[in-house]
Amino acid sequence: MAANSWEQMDGKTLLDTLEQQCVAQGISDLHCSPEKEYVRFEVRLHGVLELLAHISQQVYADFLRHVKFASRLKMNITNIPQDGQLVFGVIEKDQSRTVNIRVATIPSRFGEAITLRFLDPKRGIVTLTELGFPDVMAGKLAEMMKVANGLFLITGPTGSGKTTTLYALLKTLIGTHRHIITLEDPIEYEIGGIVQSQVDPSHDYTFASGLRSILRHDPNVILVGEIRDLETAQTAIDASLTGHLVLSTLHTNSAIEAIPRLLSMGVSPYTFAPALRGVMAQRLVRTLKKELQKEGAKVDPANSASFGGRTVIAEVLQATQEIQNLILGNESAPMIEQQARKQGYVSMREMGDALVKQRITVQSEVDRVTR
């Protein structure tokens, strides 16, 4: 991304240029961080932060004004954080689409820092196979979505692709004569055929209260963006026991750890065990460019130019009767893993090691996201 001509651009031209270039290159985030002498522009490409350029304070000031204007933020407010959004159009191969940008500002020592998150429907609304799930795993997940009721969880840290996978799972359900309602924070991508709702804590519309409201709308499938507290967890479990399929996310390092995490929150094992259908943990690893996947090709893992995209590595725990009995007995994670292994459970790291052997990625990538 050429940056040496940016100093001659006005703020609007620079914003327009960055929008198009970031989408073309698959950049997910643009970070603008003021320092004493300049402003540091960095981008997150394939999950890794890279320095883009150092921009003068003068150019940045004009750029910031245009971003705030376009995202309807208050121009005269600089001492408190603000959140907004803007949209722009992209034409690619004679097809047009609209890309949404989430904008967030925060006061810093040398001026307002700003982050732009690009929400491109081309990358955010895709199939399980396009995300990199092997056919067998994708088929297993699709089968799990056919159950009439129960709780299915996706775990992983921020940026591991949980929301994108949830949307891919929802896509398998649209058109199956099921009423689908989501509760998100925020709504990242618009999906036709379902009802999407966004939480608003300032008006007491939280995941817990919103979930109770959703249940009055006769849903078959409910997506809860994240389980953060006991009230939301127990309400989701109770909903899954009364004829609803509930999908949600949780922050744990592995699929198995989700079970003791929820039990430690205080959920009842007597309702949790029969409600749970499965847990999946996932990470995203960078993939080598096609020409570097060939046998004998020299790869420099430290060079970001070696990588051309990302793929998922995941582990799926199916809540069989044996697993449910262990939950009822409040057994430890090692005991649950021991039983899961008997059922064919394969860890994320093992899936990643297989991708290394296939030269799809490198060991340092698997280590980076799993350790």
Side-chain angles (χ1 to χ4, degrees):
M1 184 181 290
N4 48 351
S5 62
W6 291 359
E7 291 293 334
Q8 282 72 51
M9 294 183 184
D10 60 63
K12 185 180 185 307
T13 304
L14 179 54
L15 176 59
D16 292 342
T17 300
L18 284 169
E19 287 174 344
Q20 298 297 324
Q21 291 187 0
C22 284
V23 168
Q25 296 185 26
I27 288 166
S28 61
D29 301 87
L30 169 65
H31 300 274
C32 309
S33 308
E35 298 190 8
K36 189 173 183 179
E37 303 294 335
Y38 51 76
V39 179
R40 189 175 69 253
F41 274 42
E42 295 170 303
V43 293
R44 191 171 296 280
L45 177 62
H46 307 320
V48 176
L49 197 65
E50 298 181 3
L51 177 65
L52 186 59
H54 290 155
I55 303 299
S56 69
Q57 293 278 5
Q58 183 178 359
V59 170
Y60 176 63
D62 194 36
F63 172 77
L64 179 60
R65 279 195 297 271
H66 281 279
V67 172
K68 293 178 76 171
F69 176 78
S71 55
R72 299 182 178 180
L73 300 182
K74 294 180 180 179
M75 308 291 285
N76 61 328
I77 300 295
T78 60
N79 61 342
I80 60 173
Q82 296 189 74
D83 296 300
Q85 64 176 4
L86 61 93
V87 297
F88 66 97
V90 175
I91 298 176
E92 195 174 75
K93 296 180 180 178
D94 297 326
Q95 291 187 332
S96 62
R97 66 181 186 276
T98 299
V99 176
N100 183 284
I101 299 180
R102 288 214 321 254
V103 179
T105 70
I106 190 172
S108 73
R109 172 67 178 84
F110 298 106
E112 281 186 284
I114 190 167
T115 295
L116 280 65
R117 168 157 288 187
F118 293 82
L119 301 173
D120 186 350
K122 179 182 177 182
R123 300 181 184 277
I125 307 176
V126 294
T127 65
L128 292 170
T129 303
E130 289 172 322
L131 287 173
F133 286 96
D135 290 341
V136 172
M137 187 177 288
K140 182 185 295 185
L141 291 171
E143 282 298 314
M144 293 173 77
M145 293 300 103
K146 293 179 181 179
V147 298
N149 59 76
L151 177 66
F152 182 82
L153 299 169
I154 300 181
T155 78
T158 300
S160 58
K162 299 187 299 295
T163 301
T164 304
T165 299
L166 280 175
Y167 284 155
L169 291 173
L170 286 184
K171 282 191 67 175
T172 69
L173 299 172
I174 295 172
T176 58
H177 306 288
R178 296 210 256 182
H179 185 33
I180 304 170
I181 303 180
T182 74
L183 186 60
E184 305 175 55
D185 182 24
I187 295 171
E188 295 195 1
Y189 301 99
E190 296 177 3
I191 306 176
I194 67 176
V195 176
Q196 293 176 273
S197 183
Q198 182 168 308
V199 300
D200 184 1
S202 64
H203 292 88
D204 197 31
Y205 188 52
T206 62
F207 281 124
S209 64
L211 181 51
R212 290 194 300 270
S213 298
I214 285 175
L215 291 172
R216 293 192 284 270
H217 289 263
D218 187 34
N220 300 106
V221 181
I222 303 170
L223 184 153
V224 182
E226 184 181 344
I227 291 178
R228 298 173 179 170
D229 52 52
L230 173 59
E231 185 180 7
T232 306
Q234 193 62 60
T235 306
I237 290 168
D238 293 342
S240 68
L241 290 171
T242 54
H244 308 88
L245 175 61
V246 180
L247 313 179
S248 191
T249 71
L250 194 67
H251 285 282
T252 62
N253 289 324
S254 70
I256 289 168
E257 287 176 30
I259 293 173
R261 171 66 60 83
L262 283 171
L263 291 173
S264 69
M265 277 186 181
V267 301
S268 165
Y270 302 103
T271 55
F272 180 36
L276 187 65
R277 294 292 176 266
V279 187
M280 182 177 73
Q282 68 173 64
R283 302 288 191 276
L284 295 173
V285 294
R286 292 184 294 175
T287 56
L288 292 170
K289 290 182 176 177
K290 291 294 184 182
E291 60 269 24
L292 296 178
Q293 293 180 13
K294 297 176 182 177
E295 194 68 38
K298 292 184 178 180
V299 176
D300 180 7
N303 186 354
S304 60
S306 300
F307 303 95
R310 285 196 292 179
T311 193
V312 70
I313 57 174
E315 58 192 29
V316 179
L317 172 68
Q318 286 188 280
T320 60
Q321 185 64 58
E322 291 79 10
I323 295 294
Q324 291 176 346
N325 289 338
L326 292 174
I327 295 173
L328 286 169
N330 207 5
E331 292 289 353
S332 64
M335 286 293 293
I336 296 172
E337 181 175 358
Q338 185 177 342
Q339 176 59 40
R341 291 285 183 184
K342 295 176 182 177
Q343 301 171 185
Y345 172 83
V346 176
S347 71
M348 281 183 293
R349 185 165 184 85
E350 289 167 328
M351 180 177 174
D353 291 343
L355 294 183
V356 172
K357 291 180 180 178
Q358 298 170 47
R359 293 186 63 86
I360 293 173
T361 189
V362 293
Q363 193 63 52
S364 59
E365 273 298 292
V366 178
D367 293 343
R368 178 176 67 86
V369 300
T370 59
R371 284 183 177 172

